[in-house]
Amino acid sequence: MLIDRERLLEEEAQRLAPYAQKARDTRGRQHPEPESPYRTPYQKDRDRILHTTAFRRLEYKTQVFPNWAGDYYRTRLTHTLEVVQVARSIARALGLNEDLTEAIALSHDLGHPPFGHTGEKVLNGLMQGHGGFEHNAQALRILTELEVRYPSFQGLNLTYEVLEGIATHEAAYDTGFKAEYPGKGTLEAQVVDLSDAIAYAAHDLDDGLRSGLLRPEELTEVPFLQELAQEEGLDLSRLTELSRRILVRQLLGFLITAAIEAIHQEVERAGVRSAEEVRRHSQRLARLTPEAEQAHQELKGFLRERFYRHPEVLRERRKAEIVLEQLFHTYTRYPEILPKEVQARIPKGGLERAVCDYIAGMTDRYALEAYRKLFP
């Protein structure tokens, strides 16, 4: 039996919920091109993203711990894969388009520079007066301009809905690049947003405990975690490796279930019957139940105070700040030492933007090596 694109599109339209974004209803690509005979447009987008240089580099970009801190801590790549898992689980339960959800999730962090959010903060400060820096906007630049893989256009020529999913990321603090993507985004995009928050709360807790920077007894400061541990018969004062895994697994399961139930209730209450109605709705529909949202906020506050501001983490952040600031100032002062392909972009976007793109594309270890070559 041969299943071609037309059959895939037909089956998808029959199977998905009314409010889901169907691939047959895509607004298309900026540059017309033939579609795959055996893949839907969103499947094609997903595959293109997986083969990018930017996606491979995520393996060596910081989540919380830099890549060299240990083999078992999350990197930006493994974080992305966990977001994909959470998002697809939620999308499947709600009758959403899993292929679109996966494509957005795979690309949502492509614009992150080395050293995680610290790198983003540093580059944004350095680029004040030159357009700033924001990782969602950078992801769009990568996908529409910087990844060059086709002779007839720049970027990957992805569908409108995948690019919209990046542009409507709720956490974006710079909204200047969103003008082309009005509205709240598809429900698939909103689910990726929520899945991002769910995934990093759970795996950052796991990494913090594994590293020893978080002590198990400190978890008693989070009432929800204490309740969850009691339900599972776990003693937080003596948290073994197995019990830590059980705790994190149950935390993920609780948040995913809460997301599915809350989104279903919001969709029913809103009465949306199409993806366009989701976009135009007065508020975003992807959220947690009130109980889960309170628990999530408690956990985020705990991680912020006890983990993200731990002296060991802050020390690595300060090192990252020094490296990126020195690289930026050196490259903008001596652009002749930049690679030729980077110099070629200067006339179009300006020196600072060319340098920023170059640094943002670096992995942690490449940035450190570049620093060592300049400042032995």
Side-chain angles (χ1 to χ4, degrees):
M1 180 174 65
L2 193 62
I3 302 177
D4 62 11
R5 183 181 74 254
E6 291 304 319
R7 182 168 176 177
L8 287 172
L9 293 174
E10 180 182 351
E11 291 178 349
E12 180 189 89
Q14 294 175 353
R15 173 174 47 85
L16 297 183
Y19 46 78
Q21 173 65 51
K22 283 77 172 177
R24 70 179 184 186
D25 298 329
T26 177
R27 298 187 185 183
R29 308 177 188 277
Q30 181 180 1
H31 306 282
E33 60 172 298
E35 288 296 336
S36 168
Y38 302 110
R39 292 176 294 169
T40 70
Y42 301 145
Q43 290 172 342
K44 185 175 181 178
D45 285 358
R46 173 202 60 200
D47 298 343
R48 286 186 170 185
I49 292 162
L50 279 171
H51 291 285
T52 60
T53 303
F55 185 79
R56 292 195 298 276
R57 286 173 177 164
L58 294 178
E59 181 177 0
Y60 297 102
K61 290 192 175 186
T62 295
Q63 178 59 28
V64 175
F65 291 107
N67 179 268
W68 61 84
D71 294 338
Y72 295 102
Y73 302 123
R74 270 73 172 187
T75 64
R76 191 61 61 174
L77 177 62
T78 53
H79 160 71
T80 294
L81 297 178
E82 292 184 31
V83 173
V84 170
Q85 180 272 310
V86 173
R88 289 199 65 145
S89 296
I90 297 173
R92 183 178 297 116
L94 294 168
L96 298 177
N97 194 314
E98 291 183 52
D99 295 324
L100 174 58
T101 302
E102 183 176 15
I104 297 171
L106 286 170
S107 58
H108 85 281
D109 267 356
L110 291 182
H112 261 294
F115 311 118
H117 288 286
T118 298
E120 181 174 25
K121 181 180 178 181
V122 170
L123 286 181
N124 185 49
L126 293 168
M127 288 296 290
Q128 290 304 301
H130 305 287
F133 179 87
E134 206 275 345
H135 81 271
N136 297 290
Q138 188 68 13
L140 288 177
R141 282 180 58 75
I142 290 169
L143 295 173
T144 61
E145 183 177 345
L146 299 181
E147 283 276 347
V148 180
R149 294 178 170 268
Y150 302 92
S152 56
F153 53 78
Q154 291 180 302
L156 303 185
N157 198 30
L158 303 181
T159 57
Y160 174 93
E161 292 76 26
V162 173
L163 299 177
E164 176 192 36
I166 300 169
T168 55
H169 196 288
E170 192 176 33
Y173 52 82
D174 173 16
T175 58
F177 61 91
K178 296 185 175 184
E180 298 177 45
Y181 307 93
K184 306 296 182 182
T186 61
L187 195 51
E188 287 84 357
Q190 296 181 32
V191 162
V192 171
D193 249 9
L194 183 58
S195 300
D196 186 20
I198 290 172
Y200 78 67
H203 64 50
D204 286 359
L205 174 66
D206 192 28
D207 281 353
L209 290 168
R210 179 188 286 273
S211 68
L213 300 187
L214 288 178
R215 300 190 307 276
E217 58 269 22
E218 291 180 297
L219 302 188
T220 57
E221 299 175 19
V222 186
F224 163 70
L225 289 181
Q226 194 167 14
E227 293 173 10
L228 195 62
Q230 290 173 352
E231 290 175 6
E232 296 301 317
L234 305 177
D235 184 355
L236 291 181
S237 64
R238 294 191 297 274
L239 204 62
T240 65
E241 183 173 358
L242 177 59
S243 57
R244 185 195 77 241
R245 292 175 175 173
I246 293 172
L247 180 66
V248 173
R249 185 179 70 240
Q250 293 303 113
L251 169 63
L252 263 177
F254 169 78
L255 293 176
I256 291 172
T257 300
I260 293 169
E261 294 175 352
I263 297 170
H264 175 68
Q265 292 172 1
E266 289 296 320
V267 167
E268 292 292 307
R269 187 180 298 117
V272 292
R273 302 296 296 172
S274 70
E276 192 57 37
E277 288 183 12
V278 172
R279 286 187 180 95
R280 296 199 307 262
H281 195 64
S282 58
Q283 58 187 0
R284 294 167 72 90
L285 300 173
R287 61 186 64 198
L288 296 169
T289 61
E291 176 193 10
E293 180 60 31
Q294 180 179 348
H296 187 238
Q297 293 301 323
E298 288 177 1
L299 178 56
K300 285 173 62 178
F302 171 77
L303 291 171
R304 183 169 54 251
E305 294 300 322
R306 295 289 187 170
F307 186 33
Y308 305 143
R309 295 178 181 172
H310 191 284
E312 292 290 330
V313 175
L314 293 178
R315 183 183 64 184
E316 293 300 323
R317 288 183 182 177
R318 182 55 188 145
K319 287 162 60 176
E321 290 170 358
I322 294 170
V323 168
L324 295 182
E325 287 170 357
Q326 291 299 317
L327 287 178
F328 186 87
H329 292 313
T330 301
Y331 290 142
T332 51
R333 185 176 181 182
Y334 305 104
E336 64 273 12
I337 67 175
L338 290 166
K340 295 298 182 182
E341 62 271 19
V342 178
Q343 294 184 41
R345 293 204 298 268
I346 294 174
K348 180 179 179 181
L351 173 60
E352 288 79 10
R353 180 58 62 186
V355 170
C356 182
D357 286 341
Y358 179 48
I359 294 175
M362 294 179 177
T363 62
D364 295 4
R365 62 183 185 181
Y366 188 96
L368 286 173
E369 183 60 27
Y371 179 85
R372 291 189 187 101
K373 289 179 179 178
L374 291 170
F375 308 103

